[in-house]
Amino acid sequence: MALSKRIATLTGGGSDGWDLFLKARRMIADGVPVTELTIGEHDIRTAAPILQDMHRSAMAGHTGYAMVPGTDALRDIVAKRATERTGVPTSRDNVLITPGGQAALFAAHAAACDPGDVALFIDPYYATYPGTIRGVSAIPRSIATRAEDAFQPRAQDIEAGVAGAKSLLINSPNNPTGTVYSRATLEGIADICQRHDLWLISDEVYDSQVWEGAHLSPRALPGMAESTLVVGSMSKSHAMTGSRCGWLIGPEHAIEGLINFSTHTTYGVPGYIQDASVFALSQGDEFEAEVGAPFKRRRAIAQRVLAAQNTVGLIPAQGAMYLMLDIRATGMSGDDFADALLEAEHIAVMPGESFGTAAAGHLRVAMTVDDDAFEAALTTLCRFAEARAA
Ligand code: PMP
């Protein structure tokens, strides 16, 4: 029995770029000690007090169907966080709670695009973006950025690809590059969105992990609140990846429409997860800083290790839990380098090619092992690159 084209073609065919990750996992299963610097998962687990609150809520009976848009308490505290951080007045009517940022990305594109519409996204990109767009029967079109711009998109490149587009998806702080979009970049993007009537879908799941500069939500730019859908999540800011709790923030009419969409897709998020998320958010900014602190520390380690050599280039790591390394001086592709490094040194990093074409000749390193192991792995990686470049 044939599957719909939507499902059969969701990943666009070919390798999904995760071959190296799977190879590393197979080596580990075979007993090989591999240092994994591949996926965006903290090396700490969800904090015990959050789990205790989850348990308390479940034992108190919050185990039935929860409110589909999200509980009032969670929508309110997410709205308060957005108001405080952006200055844009935000109420619970601007907030839809979703099972993670991924479901919010899907809902946002469902709201913005009709079947056959073009949806823009920026290359390099988080792995699910094109498939999410295909999932709503829209057509993904990538806009390439350049390593020499530290992967900040250029307005003229977006403009050149804008014909027929209904939406533009951006992500700052960025996975995989660690780039934080500047005010100038975001103002250029806002200008294009306004002139071409595009929904701006702003994935801000790393908003609490900024190491240089400041996070600016484009929803706060003049006139943008009516056409911006902001994706947020507890996953990265609170080390709650497995809890599947995120949100979409947007204009009231969009949220109202998407509450219907949730009723017919996810039917919301478990009440005890939402209660624990309220508890976690009420711990405030200091707690989010604590969750992000290991990445800030390891970024400083990386800057020190990389300063001691000149084969591997570091794209300024301004935010998120990743480093983007330029290994073009070795003459190797990211794919070949990552494979050779895994074979020879048992260190797993993601080839830049896994994230589109713009990061070819680069590696994405997730800063997700303890400081000593991280420093040792990075030092070995640099020596390995130096030997290849020689
Ligand atoms: N956006 C980006 C850029 C991500 O890196 C991730 C997860 N790695 C997500 C969205 C989705 O995260 P979640 O569904 O866990 O909130």
Side-chain angles (χ1 to χ4, degrees):
M1 189 69 183
L3 286 170
S4 69
K5 288 192 194 69
R6 184 187 309 106
I7 297 302
T9 63
L10 195 77
T11 60
S15 153
D16 62 1
W18 288 85
D19 300 350
L20 187 123
F21 168 75
L22 296 171
K23 184 172 172 179
R25 282 286 155 103
R26 275 196 303 275
M27 287 170 69
I28 292 166
D30 291 342
V32 181
V34 174
T35 305
E36 278 191 291
L37 305 171
T38 46
I39 58 169
E41 175 109 51
H42 314 68
D43 49 322
I44 53 168
R45 300 273 76 90
T46 303
I50 299 175
L51 298 178
Q52 276 150 6
D53 196 74
M54 207 179 280
H55 182 251
R56 177 204 56 73
S57 168
M59 293 306 283
H62 208 169
T63 54
Y65 291 124
M67 298 282 286
V68 170
T71 62
D72 288 350
L74 183 54
R75 295 173 85 196
D76 284 347
I77 198 166
V78 168
K80 180 167 160 277
R81 183 179 185 271
T83 307
E84 284 170 3
R85 291 186 179 202
T86 65
V88 185
T90 306
S91 82
R92 78 168 67 135
D93 296 329
N94 300 113
V95 178
L96 172 70
I97 303 301
T98 61
Q102 181 55 46
L105 283 164
F106 185 68
H109 283 93
C113 298
D114 280 311
D117 284 342
V118 169
L120 304 177
F121 65 106
I122 309 292
D123 177 357
Y125 53 86
Y126 171 52
T128 69
Y129 283 1
T132 302
I133 291 166
R134 290 189 200 97
V136 303
S137 300
I139 299 165
R141 182 186 293 159
S142 66
I143 306 291
T145 54
R146 300 167 168 87
E148 68 258 35
D149 297 339
F151 299 109
Q152 300 263 347
R154 290 186 189 179
Q156 68 263 35
D157 291 339
I158 301 173
E159 189 90 47
V162 85
K166 278 284 178 61
S167 62
L168 168 62
L169 169 58
I170 62 170
N171 169 222
S172 175
N174 188 269
N175 175 12
T177 62
T179 303
V180 173
Y181 287 6
S182 67
R183 177 175 285 274
T185 294
L186 290 166
E187 283 174 351
I189 286 170
D191 173 57
I192 291 171
C193 289
Q194 285 174 339
R195 279 188 293 104
H196 295 278
D197 224 8
L198 302 185
W199 280 101
L200 180 58
I201 300 172
S202 182
D203 179 344
E204 302 180 21
V205 303
Y206 295 98
D207 67 350
S208 64
Q209 299 179 359
V210 179
W211 321 129
E212 202 179 289
H215 171 68
L216 171 63
S217 175
R219 179 167 173 263
L221 293 175
M224 287 304 290
E226 276 309 302
S227 59
T228 304
L229 299 168
V230 176
V231 173
S233 176
M234 298 300 289
S235 288
K236 312 292 176 175
S237 54
H238 293 79
M240 290 177 68
T241 50
S243 290
R244 313 309 305 134
C245 188
W247 56 82
L248 194 66
I249 297 177
E252 280 182 30
H253 74 98
I255 297 303
E256 209 176 292
L258 285 171
I259 291 169
N260 286 331
F261 186 69
S262 286
T263 303
H264 295 87
T265 51
T266 63
Y267 216 82
V269 173
Y272 49 91
I273 300 282
Q274 296 197 60
D275 285 348
S277 298
V278 171
F279 173 85
L281 285 165
S282 65
Q283 303 309 300
D285 294 354
E286 304 90 85
F287 181 76
E288 297 188 36
E290 217 176 283
V291 170
F295 308 122
K296 187 175 182 186
R297 243 181 12 243
R298 291 168 199 159
R299 167 184 179 268
I301 292 171
Q303 287 177 321
R304 177 161 50 72
V305 170
L306 281 139
Q309 54 83 59
N310 45 30
T311 306
V312 180
L314 174 63
I315 302 297
Q318 299 167 297
M321 48 176 82
Y322 314 97
L323 303 173
M324 196 47 110
L325 303 182
D326 182 348
I327 48 100
R328 287 177 292 180
T330 64
M332 298 171 81
S333 69
D335 278 322
D336 289 345
F337 187 99
D339 196 57
L341 184 72
L342 179 60
E343 289 283 347
E345 305 289 353
H346 303 161
I347 295 169
V349 298
M350 293 299 291
E353 290 86 350
S354 306
F355 307 99
T357 56
H362 290 72
L363 304 171
R364 188 193 76 172
V365 176
M367 300 187 279
T368 49
V369 295
D370 76 63
D371 296 16
D372 291 343
F374 180 70
E375 177 158 0
L378 216 51
T379 305
T380 303
L381 184 155
C382 288
R383 279 206 209 102
F384 186 79
E386 278 163 23
R388 296 292 163 137

